[in-house]
Amino acid sequence: MAFVVTEPCVKCKFTDCVNVCPVDCFREGVNFLVIDPEECIDCGACVPECPVEAIYLDEDVPERWQEYIPLNAHLSEKWPSIQSGHGALDEADDFRDVALKRHLLSMTAAD
């Protein structure tokens, strides 16, 4: 089992979750974070820290966001690790309550 970042994170990328992670399991894209399922130790420390409630245990991911389970695994192989948090995206407050954001997810790794 591992935790999974889902759609509410798209175009927000709050990194509060990264700051509490005891291992380096988060990977960073331009406008989204993912969790490497091979690194995640299932501690759950990140879940209450996410201000948009985007993180779920893989077996608890809502049906509408099931595609994010393999997406986290795939992108975690390509994106760089992030060890400490930083400010959210400038548009985070505008997108935090927007539904159906999958088409806005950039597959590009963060610099």
Side-chain angles (χ1 to χ4, degrees):
M1 291 191 293
F3 282 86
V4 176
V5 181
T6 62
E7 190 162 297
C9 182
V10 175
K11 300 279 283 181
C12 291
K13 202 169 83 168
F14 292 99
T15 57
D16 307 55
C17 52
V18 176
N19 288 326
V20 298
C21 183
V23 296
D24 296 332
C25 69
F26 281 91
R27 305 292 183 260
E28 185 177 21
V30 171
N31 68 359
F32 188 63
L33 296 173
V34 296
I35 294 174
D36 182 340
E38 299 298 319
E39 295 290 328
C40 180
I41 59 170
D42 307 328
C43 71
C46 56
V47 176
E49 298 302 316
C50 181
V52 292
E53 300 178 4
I55 304 172
Y56 294 85
L57 188 59
D58 56 3
E59 63 189 32
D60 296 331
V61 172
E63 184 63 35
R64 67 185 181 272
W65 296 326
Q66 287 289 304
E67 72 175 294
Y68 286 88
I69 299 170
L71 188 64
N72 271 242
H74 173 73
L75 293 175
S76 70
E77 295 175 355
K78 301 179 179 314
W79 287 358
S81 177
I82 176 175
Q83 288 87 31
S84 61
H86 50 71
L89 296 176
D90 290 341
E91 65 266 22
D93 285 333
D94 296 332
F95 282 93
R96 74 182 304 144
D97 295 320
V98 173
L100 304 174
K101 300 188 288 185
R102 172 64 175 92
H103 67 285
L104 300 172
L105 192 155
S106 172
M107 301 298 271
T108 305
D111 293 332

